[in-house]
């Protein structure tokens, strides 16, 4: 059974990002730029950062190599907790303020290049985000690739990067990106269909007659846990919490869609009533 040890590279990365954020936020507040960085955004970043620490540097990381259900908990923390909290915080601008003025200017100029702007627009497009997020879930849960990730630290790190990055892109597109520009209707469609990925995959894991991954079939008994029960719990963790979050968001967007349609009807009627007397005169 794996011991609880700190991955020095992960620890260094988290410490670096935390230090950069503190430095950038301090500079912004000293300049009186509080409007560009609200307190709730700072709290959001802190909570997301702590979720990453919990997922990657706590005993969860060690137990994830032995129990599939704990590994699924780790992935839920990355995709459903850390990713949306960090997206709400919008930390990239704060990181830029942590740089020296000359580098801050260069980074700002680079991000305004047409090619970079077009690339970011394409990467955060609803269809692109939908494909990337779904592909990350399905491809990494293929038995050969999943077991390789558990056995090899480099592949495992790549898996976590893919999950966190694809989830962050999805949440960014939903909160800050072009879902809103395309209208609530398309946002509802993408949210519900994205939720289907996790629901179907979770159901398949829960209802499978035998364990999918030989590595957990061999390691789960070390914790006196039945491998199939462990997999069923992992499937339920993906099926219920993940699916519920997407259903709630989808219903909220659907309600906003109906509200927007109602406001448009009221606005149109008001315009017609206002224009009526002038037409008659």
């Amino acid at each position: 059974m794996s011991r609880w040890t700190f991955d020095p590279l992960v620890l260094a990365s988290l410490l670096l990002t935390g230090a950069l954020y503190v430095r950038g936020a301090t500079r912004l507040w000293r300049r009186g730029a509080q409007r560009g960085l609200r307190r709730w955004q700072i709290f959001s970043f802190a909570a997301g950062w702590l979720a990453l620490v919990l997922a990657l540097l706590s005993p969860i990381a060690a137990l994830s190599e032995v129990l599939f259900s704990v590994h699924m908990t780790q992935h839920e923390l990355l995709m459903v907790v850390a990713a949306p909290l960090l997206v709400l915080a919008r930390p990239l601008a704060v990181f830029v303020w942590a740089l020296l003025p000359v580098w801050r200017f260069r980074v700002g100029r680079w991000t305004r290049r047409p090619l970079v702007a077009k690339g970011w627009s394409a990467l955060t497009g609803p269809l692109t985000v939908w494909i990337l997020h779904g592909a990350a879930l399905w491809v990494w849960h293929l038995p050969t690739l999943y077991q390789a990730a558990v056995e090899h630290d480099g592949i495992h790190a790549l898996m976590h990067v893919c999950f966190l990055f694809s989830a962050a892109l999805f949440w960014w597109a939903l909160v800050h990106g072009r879902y809103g520009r395309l209208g609530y209707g398309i946002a509802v469609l993408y949210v519900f269909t994205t939720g289907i990925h996790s629901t179907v995959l979770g159901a398949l894991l829960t209802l499978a007659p035998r364990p999918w991954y030989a590595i957990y079939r061999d390691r789960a008994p070390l914790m006196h846990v039945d491998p199939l029960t462990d997999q069923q719990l992992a499937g339920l963790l993906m099926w219920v919490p993940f699916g519920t979050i997407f259903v709630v968001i989808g219903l909220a967007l659907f309600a906003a869609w109906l509200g927007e349609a109602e406001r448009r009807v009221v606005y149109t009627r008001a315009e017609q009533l206002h224009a009526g007397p002038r037409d008659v005169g």
Side-chain angles (χ1 to χ4, degrees), residues 83-226:
L85 285 171
L86 293 175
V87 165
L88 286 172
R90 307 192 78 161
L92 295 181
V94 181
F95 289 153
V96 171
W97 273 93
L99 303 175
L100 294 173
V102 61
W103 285 104
R104 193 187 313 152
F105 173 76
R106 290 177 180 177
V107 171
R109 186 174 59 181
W110 180 78
T111 57
R112 288 192 293 270
R113 290 182 177 179
L115 185 61
V116 175
K118 289 180 181 178
W120 177 250
S121 180
L123 184 62
T124 56
L127 182 58
T128 304
V129 169
W130 183 83
I131 292 173
L132 289 176
H133 194 52
L137 282 176
W138 285 100
V139 171
W140 279 108
H141 281 89
L142 294 174
T144 302
L145 200 55
Y146 199 99
Q147 292 189 164
V150 177
E151 293 176 327
H152 302 284
D153 291 341
I155 301 176
H156 204 174
L158 180 60
M159 170 195 274
H160 288 165
V161 169
C162 288
F163 282 154
L164 182 62
F165 182 70
S166 64
L169 283 179
F170 172 81
W171 291 111
W172 194 95
L174 186 64
V175 176
H176 306 302
R178 285 184 287 156
Y179 280 111
R181 299 177 200 172
L182 295 176
Y184 287 113
I186 196 68
V188 170
L189 174 65
Y190 276 104
V191 167
F192 275 122
T193 53
T194 300
I196 288 174
H197 289 300
S198 59
T199 300
V200 172
L201 183 55
L204 290 174
L205 288 167
T206 303
L207 303 176
R210 61 183 62 85
W212 282 15
Y213 309 110
I215 192 168
Y216 287 121
R217 187 180 60 218
D218 298 334
R219 293 183 179 183
L222 297 175
M223 298 292 293
H224 307 288
V225 175
D226 176 65

